[in-house]
Amino acid sequence: MKQDYDTTNEKESLAPGHHPGPLPTDVRDTHVWDDTPEAINRRKFLTQLSIALGGLTGVALVVPVAAFIVAPLFKETPILWRQVKVNGQPGTLDKFKVGETVEVSFEDSSPVAWAGVTALTAAWMRRTSETEFTTFAVNCSHLGCPVTWLPGAQLFMCPCHGGVYYADGRVAAGPPPQALFHYETRVNNGNVEVKATGVPIPTE
Amino acid sequence: MAVIKGILGWLEDRTGVMGAIKPVLDHKVPYTNWKTGWWYVLGSAVLVAFMIQVITGIALSTSYVSSAGDAYNSLKFITEEMTFGSFLRGMHFWGGSAMVLLVGAHALHVFIIGAFKFPREVNWLSGVVLFFATLGMGFTGQLLRWDQTAFWSVIVGADQAARTPFIGESLAKFVMAGNTVGGATLSRFFAYHVFFIPGIIFLFVGLHLFLVIRNGISEPPQRGEAVDPKTYRQRYHNMLEKTGVPFWPDAVWRDAVAAIIVVLAVVALGIFLGPPSLEAPPDPTQLSVYPRPDWYLLWYFSVLALIPPKAEPYVILGGPGLAVVLMIILPLVANKGERSPLRRPWAMGFVLLLVIMISTLWITGLVSPWSPNTRTQPINPALFQASTAQVQKGVQLFYDKGCQYCHAIDINDTSLSDSNGPGGARVVGGARGPNLSTVGSRLTHEQIVVRILNGGNAMPQFGTLLKPDELDAIVAFLETRTNASDNKQGQGKGVEVSLNGQK
């Protein structure tokens, strides 16, 4: 039998008696709805029921998911004191000279097990006297890029937009709106520790 | 053959897919000639780029590990060891670039021909969502590279979010998924990039295409044919009846040509340029970094560098906010009237301004003169014919005290070749401050001293940082940098670069 299937004329190509596509609309248009008050009320009720059930289904799905996603915002994570490391060595008091600024690193307060190297945070630590330390966050107060300490010039410099800070963290030049942030620092049994509060967030 | 046709007939009978698609293929679209028609391929070209992203993205996701500790290594593995790994990463990067570029071009074209006007306001609005979703894909995609730049980009992103009034801190924490950038951060960005934003894109592409069919493709604008919501639909309908052509194949063939060009271009770029190189691992303790966004956001990086610090709180939020608001209200307030660009001088002036602004900012971003040159190397004093010990000391201090990070100076040296380029006459140092090659001729002794001691907007006050003999040495060195010395070394004039009105 010769097949005459042709996309431009597919209606004829179909087996006889078949309607292509959905039911002809005239079937529905000519249907006479039951318009008694009972039927109308019943339809009204079913409409409201369907919408309410649909809404409930949505809520049941959305609430736990939304809670899961925004939960970290409200979770109070413990802030811990962490001993710093200098060049990979434990940061004991004798590792720091008065007047010198060195890079230290410490573990975040509550890193996840799979954080890998990102569980660490770096900071610039300056021993200002026998007993006192100032620990600067590495994050430029402009947009958070890491500042570098230039020992020769006694300046911190940001590689992103050229923010410069003096040794005490004050803004020396460039776009930063405020001084470098500090981490609280203490000496505990000869170990230098900082309060691992995370990335400083500039709020105005 | 007969069997295949039989199967197709059976399938069509049971599904009706062809019957449903056929009216779409056959629907009439406005006639376009070779001058106007090619611009209409931009929309479908974005879709092609998106499809490239979906396909290459799915492939890459089979080997990518979205764990902060392992992501970098998995990318290294994909790039270096997997068959076609580097090529697929390249295609994904260039496909994304194409998508950003094309979505911008498509939006501009629609704006220029006034196609956002009645009755296509919601076409435009759904496009606005797609536009920003595309930029969001670009930003989150760069982060998934999870190298040094990615790591610091999250912090830069969080710091910008933090400028939002009232909820800034929460937003920043939301971006980082906690107090720090760590394990939780990357998993989230992976989910945004792979599920959330693509979901939004699929949804809105669906709506966008539905509206394109429903409201019809806009006709090339004619001068004097103003859009009047009362008559436009009838006029459009009559025009289609008279001069319209079937969508398939009269209009589609150009889309097909554009599609193959986009795909071939992305494949070629993937082969010949490859993916962006992986930088150092995302180690937060490695601080010698040079973070910058991928090219499609580089112009915005320039904005952040160049605006006056006092304007920053407004620009960082107000800028993107204003862009969103303008794009949303555009079709609502300007949905009537002339569509022809020739009759909309203000709108065209705005387009020109926008294109000039973004390209200038983009080119500036490539040079990034505001960034200190942290890779600059100490200069051998002999290159300056430094006669006295004081001048020699000055040359050394020029480097040690950080001057050279921001100030350029001309030297002539054939032996010195480093990352700055081959030896010979060249400029070393940074471009943050003015080039000092001829400062001895421009400024007096006192002016140089005052400038060094007091600094300026972009320059620290060195008054407390320099000992008197150090200051003298630096000034002595700078005073040898004159027009004569600059010419004697056989170089062109140093380029004067100054920012924030600094000289």
Side-chain angles (χ1 to χ4, degrees):
Chain A
M1 191 188 98
K2 182 177 173 285
Q3 276 285 343
D4 58 355
Y5 183 85
D6 176 5
T7 49
T8 60
N9 195 13
E10 64 185 50
K11 217 167 186 173
E12 290 174 12
S13 71
L14 294 169
H18 283 281
H19 294 286
L23 281 174
T25 46
D26 54 4
V27 172
R28 282 173 296 183
D29 289 347
T30 54
H31 185 87
V32 180
W33 300 114
D34 180 0
D35 277 343
T36 57
E38 294 79 28
I40 290 175
N41 273 341
R42 183 182 145 81
R43 277 205 293 276
K44 207 186 222 171
F45 169 74
L46 290 178
T47 305
Q48 286 165 349
L49 180 75
S50 302
I51 290 172
L53 287 179
L56 215 60
T57 313
V59 168
L61 286 171
V62 165
V63 167
V65 170
F68 180 82
I69 290 169
V70 297
L73 280 181
F74 302 103
K75 197 177 158 204
E76 283 297 321
T77 45
I79 302 295
L80 305 179
W81 288 92
R82 294 288 199 187
Q83 186 183 9
V84 299
K85 285 193 165 187
V86 188
N87 292 327
Q89 305 290 316
T92 48
L93 207 47
D94 57 296
K95 297 267 177 17
F96 301 90
K97 289 196 197 115
V98 174
E100 262 189 18
T101 300
V102 291
E103 187 194 332
V104 297
S105 67
F106 53 90
E107 198 183 14
D108 294 337
S109 280
S110 47
V112 292
W114 57 92
V117 73
T118 61
L120 297 175
T121 294
W124 292 106
M125 189 175 271
R126 181 177 187 83
R127 186 170 187 178
T128 46
S129 74
E130 278 304 318
T131 54
E132 287 170 315
F133 286 82
T134 310
T135 310
F136 300 105
V138 295
N139 307 95
C140 182
S141 70
H142 181 222
L143 289 174
C145 293
V147 297
T148 309
W149 171 247
L150 308 177
Q154 295 282 300
L155 293 168
F156 293 103
M157 190 150 70
C158 179
C160 286
H161 299 120
V164 189
Y165 304 82
Y166 294 114
D168 60 0
R170 278 180 304 130
V171 177
Q178 51 185 307
L180 287 175
F181 300 93
H182 291 201
Y183 292 114
E184 277 184 63
T185 314
R186 72 177 185 190
V187 181
N188 186 11
N189 289 331
N191 294 325
V192 183
E193 299 181 341
V194 299
K195 214 169 186 179
T197 48
V199 175
I201 294 166
T203 44
E204 277 161 283
Chain B
M1 256 349 239
V3 175
I4 294 173
K5 279 180 179 170
I7 291 172
L8 284 177
W10 179 87
L11 211 56
E12 175 58 17
D13 176 67
R14 299 303 192 278
T15 65
V17 169
M18 277 313 289
I21 291 177
K22 208 162 175 309
V24 174
L25 297 180
D26 287 346
H27 88 285
K28 280 188 168 182
V29 299
Y31 170 79
T32 52
N33 58 28
W34 63 272
K35 257 196 265 178
T36 51
W38 285 105
W39 293 105
Y40 284 81
V41 305
L42 289 168
S44 71
V46 184
L47 193 59
V48 170
F50 178 60
M51 285 302 141
I52 295 176
Q53 293 310 85
V54 171
I55 294 165
T56 54
I58 289 173
L60 289 169
S61 77
T62 58
S63 294
Y64 181 77
V65 179
S66 64
S67 135
D70 298 322
Y72 181 81
N73 288 330
S74 75
L75 260 174
K76 248 187 138 52
F77 177 78
I78 291 173
T79 312
E80 290 165 10
E81 308 203 12
M82 285 193 68
T83 312
F84 287 143
S86 173
F87 168 63
L88 275 183
R89 269 197 64 216
M91 264 190 87
H92 200 63
F93 174 77
W94 293 109
S97 300
M99 196 173 155
V100 174
L101 201 69
L102 289 167
V103 84
H106 177 49
L108 264 186
H109 173 239
V110 166
F111 179 76
I112 289 171
I113 65 166
F116 57 86
K117 299 194 177 206
F118 179 91
R120 303 186 181 85
E121 295 97 327
V122 183
N123 297 41
W124 170 271
L125 292 176
S126 57
V128 171
V129 174
L130 290 167
F131 177 82
F132 285 105
T134 304
L135 290 184
M137 287 301 274
F139 181 67
T140 53
Q142 180 185 357
L143 298 186
L144 295 195
R145 236 178 283 150
W146 208 235
D147 53 12
Q148 244 177 8
T149 293
F151 179 88
W152 292 104
S153 296
V154 183
I155 292 184
V156 171
D159 268 22
Q160 286 180 55
R163 308 272 180 128
T164 317
F166 309 120
I167 54 163
E169 198 175 342
S170 301
L171 268 185
K173 278 190 176 172
F174 187 78
V175 170
M176 296 190 291
N179 291 330
T180 58
V181 176
T185 319
L186 181 65
S187 320
R188 284 214 167 200
F189 275 106
F190 181 74
Y192 297 151
H193 186 79
V194 176
F195 296 111
F196 282 68
I197 309 179
I200 292 172
I201 292 182
F202 273 114
L203 211 63
F204 277 82
V205 163
L207 174 65
H208 202 67
L209 292 181
F210 170 76
L211 291 173
V212 167
I213 306 286
R214 182 185 185 275
N215 293 325
I217 294 172
S218 71
E219 73 280 18
Q222 297 291 332
R223 258 178 292 178
E225 274 190 10
V227 173
D228 178 354
K230 287 196 199 79
T231 56
Y232 178 81
R233 279 198 165 118
Q234 189 60 45
R235 201 182 75 204
Y236 182 77
H237 182 78
N238 295 345
M239 180 267 300
L240 284 190
E241 287 297 306
K242 231 193 297 177
T243 59
V245 293
F247 177 62
W248 177 280
D250 291 43
V252 166
W253 75 272
R254 286 201 180 95
D255 293 311
V257 173
I260 193 69
I261 291 174
V262 169
V263 171
L264 287 181
V266 168
V267 167
L269 286 164
I271 291 173
F272 295 112
L273 292 183
S277 57
L278 279 181
E279 293 165 31
D283 182 347
T285 66
Q286 292 304 312
L287 298 181
S288 54
V289 300
Y290 191 57
R292 50 216 46 229
D294 279 343
W295 70 265
Y296 36 81
L297 286 176
L298 197 58
W299 60 275
Y300 190 63
F301 179 76
S302 307
V303 173
L304 296 179
L306 292 174
I307 47 175
K310 282 200 180 107
E312 266 181 14
Y314 310 103
V315 175
I316 286 180
L317 288 165
L322 189 70
V324 173
V325 169
L326 283 181
M327 287 174 89
I328 288 175
I329 62 168
L330 170 74
L332 304 178
V333 300
N335 72 334
K336 293 192 275 283
E338 287 277 353
R339 283 183 49 207
S340 166
L342 298 169
R343 292 286 174 88
R344 290 158 58 227
W346 286 103
M348 292 313 106
F350 175 75
V351 169
L352 195 67
L353 199 71
L354 195 73
V355 169
I356 291 176
M357 190 181 81
I358 291 191
S359 11
T360 323
L361 283 168
W362 187 68
I363 293 166
T364 318
L366 285 178
V367 185
S368 297
W370 50 80
S371 293
N373 179 357
T374 51
R375 289 166 188 161
T376 190
Q377 297 296 316
I379 311 168
N380 181 355
L383 295 170
F384 294 118
Q385 292 83 38
S387 45
T388 69
Q390 192 189 34
V391 172
Q392 284 171 13
K393 186 179 164 195
V395 176
Q396 184 60 39
L397 286 167
F398 189 72
Y399 174 80
D400 289 345
K401 293 297 175 183
C403 315
Q404 208 176 305
Y405 288 92
C406 294
H407 290 287
I409 209 146
D410 296 353
I411 57 168
N412 189 6
D413 176 26
T414 44
S415 65
L416 217 144
S417 291
D418 59 22
S419 59
N420 290 324
R426 61 194 173 93
V427 182
V428 293
R432 182 79 175 93
N435 184 312
L436 297 180
S437 302
T438 62
V439 69
S441 302
R442 284 193 288 117
L443 302 179
T444 65
H445 178 86
E446 283 70 29
Q447 285 173 320
I448 297 177
V449 171
V450 166
R451 169 55 80 191
I452 293 175
L453 295 183
N454 290 347
N457 282 337
M459 175 169 166
Q461 299 171 0
F462 280 88
T464 53
L465 301 173
L466 296 174
K467 300 191 188 83
D469 61 311
E470 290 175 334
L471 176 68
D472 290 343
I474 292 176
V475 174
F477 161 57
L478 290 178
E479 284 184 311
T480 66
R481 300 298 92 205
T482 60
N483 290 333
S485 75
D486 201 35
N487 288 335
K488 194 158 72 192
Q489 286 163 316
Q491 288 117 58
K493 287 273 175 283
V495 184
E496 290 276 348
V497 183
S498 87
L499 288 162
N500 301 339
Q502 284 273 102
K503 270 275 172 187

